[in-house]
Amino acid sequence: MTRTPPALHGPEFEADPHPAYRWLRDHAPVHRIDLPGGAWAWLVTRYDDARSVLADPNMLKDPGRANATWYRAGLGLPFDHRPSLVRSMVNVDAPDHSRLRKVTSGAFTPRRVRSLRESAERITGELLDALTKEEAPDLVRDLAYPLPIAIICDILGVPEEDRAEFHRQAAVIDSSSPDEYEAIGAATDWFDAYLDGLVAARLREPSDDLLGDLVEAHRSGELSRHEVTSTAFLLLVAGHETTVALIGNMLLLLLRDPEEMARLRADHELVGPAIEESLRLESPLQNATWRFPGEPTTVGGVRLEAGEPVLVSLLAAGRDPRRYEDPDVFDPRRGASHLSFGHGAHFCVGAQLARVEARVAVTAVLERLPGLRLAVDEDELRWWPSMIMHGLFALPVAFDRDNS
Ligand code: HEM
């Protein structure tokens, strides 16, 4: 076994990041990694360390607490330039954090999630009607990608006539490609103006959706207007690609394991546990969002100074053999918990919704696409080249058309 740390970028890592994370867990569980722009960060890869960093109130989320190297490298959000899109719960600490989070949780009451499930079933049905007519169907492009964005539009109450443009602009932001900086900047401008207009409309006419709740909280002085638009933008950024990756990764695990797929087809109750196992094994987010120690601290025996950037690898923690027996095996019956929705104060607000969407999508695929199989060799599949996301660009499939 080599003592040289593996690369955490490039085609080999993107195709299969797990060997690199295995090496780090074994040899450098709290490891200093270089980042673009001369910055660096601590990467935490063991489950126990990951869980304690996520739960630690000394690990602050406010980018204003970061050291100068990180800030200068431009890795943070443009707080100063775009307060209308970044003043959200994921970038703040107590007490602002609980204030912002409380208002948003209204979107995920059992009544709202029930109605979102009905929307998810209807949209999935329509998407699969179209997919079954495609000559070269792709489960990411034709199902996993459009479903969550349609649900986010429902949550925010985006009017029908605006949805096509909303999807188009979101796709530009999702590309996250360094070659697309200008286009991403323009799409961000578009969201800035669009969300502001939506808020103005809700101020004139209240509505029974999350944006309506946020605007009411603004009216009563609980939220600033920037906090309203930033929260709406956060739901788009946090809830879209993550759910795309969950559905795609889960379907790939089933395509690799036809016996498991047959068991799920025969008993849809197994879909829920299989989704949890997929979250553990192929976490849609490689890393949690940035954290910065408020006071110097020690993690896994390594001293971290105040302001030093910390990344927690959810993908690595999910396969830590110190926590899971045979960690690389897909076994929905193990019933293991995981960190893929985070842990502690910033635990994912949309976890229940993401589970509902994945369950609806996967169950419908099992019901409607008999004989489902990959249409290409697995080594031709491409993954997002990203240190943040862990998801597929495309999942081309074939199925038995006579029975669909
Ligand atoms: C499979 C899909 C999803 C995954 C894997 C996921 C994962 C996560 C993780 C790991 C965090 C914690 C980040 C940290 O502590 O650094 C988080 C936070 C968050 N997620 Fe999700 N998420 C998913 C879907 C969603 C959806 C559908 C929504 C809403 C529409 C959503 C909204 C949020 C929000 C608002 C936060 C910030 C919570 C806070 O800072 O208190 N997520 N998510």
Side-chain angles (χ1 to χ4, degrees):
M1 171 80 65
T2 164
R3 298 293 304 178
T4 313
L8 298 177
H9 52 82
E12 204 179 316
F13 177 76
E14 278 149 23
D16 183 8
H18 298 296
Y21 286 131
R22 188 177 308 129
W23 192 97
L24 289 174
R25 278 191 312 261
D26 287 345
H27 301 286
V30 181
H31 180 58
R32 199 179 139 139
I33 56 167
D34 289 328
L35 298 167
W40 58 272
W42 294 109
L43 182 67
V44 176
T45 45
R46 285 190 186 166
Y47 179 93
D48 284 348
D49 293 337
R51 193 168 189 273
S52 67
V53 168
L54 293 173
D56 185 351
N58 179 46
M59 287 287 174
L60 302 176
K61 301 286 288 93
D62 174 359
R65 307 301 291 253
N67 64 15
T69 325
W70 183 88
Y71 222 94
R72 266 200 311 273
L75 295 166
L77 293 160
F79 248 120
D80 316 330
H81 306 134
R82 195 98 59 179
S84 48
L85 294 184
V86 297
R87 294 252 168 236
S88 68
M89 70 187 95
V90 82
N91 291 319
V92 296
D93 300 293
D96 285 336
H97 175 253
S98 38
R99 179 175 56 82
L100 288 168
R101 191 170 162 115
K102 197 172 109 234
V103 182
T104 313
S105 52
F108 305 102
T109 57
R111 182 177 68 86
R112 289 247 175 97
V113 172
R114 230 182 356 263
S115 121
L116 291 171
R117 174 192 290 271
E118 283 161 21
S119 293
E121 285 169 349
R122 179 181 48 77
I123 296 161
T124 300
E126 289 165 7
L127 292 169
L128 284 179
D129 287 346
L131 179 145
T132 48
K133 296 189 189 91
E134 284 284 341
E135 246 174 62
D138 171 350
L139 285 171
V140 169
R141 181 196 61 203
D142 301 332
L143 175 65
Y145 192 85
L147 173 63
I149 190 108
I151 296 293
I152 288 165
C153 286
D154 272 9
I155 294 177
L156 293 177
V158 173
E160 277 305 327
E161 63 273 21
D162 297 346
R163 291 193 175 196
E165 187 59 12
F166 193 95
H167 287 206
R168 211 182 65 72
Q169 299 287 348
V172 177
I173 300 235
D174 286 345
S175 75
S176 309
S177 153
D179 309 335
E180 305 273 342
Y181 273 153
E182 251 175 62
I184 292 171
T188 310
D189 289 342
W190 185 88
F191 274 108
D192 211 346
Y194 181 75
L195 292 173
D196 194 58
L198 220 49
V199 170
R202 293 297 186 283
L203 279 167
R204 288 192 299 274
E205 200 176 323
S207 61
D208 181 30
D209 48 45
L210 174 64
L211 204 62
D213 294 354
L214 296 173
V215 166
E216 274 318 296
H218 170 53
R219 224 192 279 273
S220 68
E222 218 178 322
L223 296 186
S224 72
R225 188 152 171 165
H226 281 166
E227 287 170 339
V228 174
T229 42
S230 298
T231 302
F233 190 62
L234 172 65
L235 292 182
L236 168 69
V237 177
H240 185 209
E241 276 184 86
T242 46
T243 314
V244 178
L246 169 58
I247 296 171
N249 296 356
M250 160 87 189
L251 289 168
L252 176 61
L253 285 168
L254 292 181
L255 286 161
R256 279 182 188 152
D257 189 342
E259 276 180 29
E260 200 58 60
M261 175 138 55
R263 275 196 283 272
L264 264 61
R265 264 192 221 282
D267 181 0
H268 292 170
E269 286 306 305
L270 298 175
V271 172
I275 288 169
E276 298 310 308
E277 179 68 343
S278 154
L279 281 158
R280 177 190 72 79
L281 206 54
E282 301 288 3
S283 171
L285 273 175
Q286 295 215 21
N287 299 310
T289 54
W290 294 106
R291 282 169 169 72
F292 313 96
E295 301 290 333
T297 185
T298 301
V299 179
V302 176
R303 183 178 160 93
L304 278 50
E305 300 300 334
E308 290 182 346
V310 181
L311 285 175
V312 169
S313 172
L314 305 173
L315 195 56
R319 293 194 183 211
D320 187 348
R322 296 154 195 82
R323 159 81 184 172
Y324 304 103
E325 205 171 306
D326 295 330
D328 297 327
V329 175
F330 177 54
D331 177 8
R333 279 152 298 276
R334 72 168 78 220
S337 61
H338 55 76
L339 299 175
S340 299
F341 285 125
H343 176 65
H346 292 271
F347 181 82
C348 178
V349 166
Q352 277 315 97
L353 173 62
R355 288 176 165 128
V356 164
E357 288 181 49
R359 198 172 173 147
V360 167
V362 171
T363 306
V365 165
L366 293 172
E367 274 172 357
R368 293 199 48 189
L369 305 181
L372 186 69
R373 55 203 178 269
L374 271 175
V376 295
D377 285 341
E378 194 180 327
D379 54 17
E380 287 175 46
L381 294 177
R382 282 178 56 226
W383 295 78
W384 285 83
S386 161
M387 263 295 274
I388 304 167
M389 293 308 303
H390 175 59
L392 292 161
F393 260 124
L395 189 56
V397 290
F399 55 93
D400 300 340
R401 294 201 179 244
D402 294 349
N403 308 321
S404 67

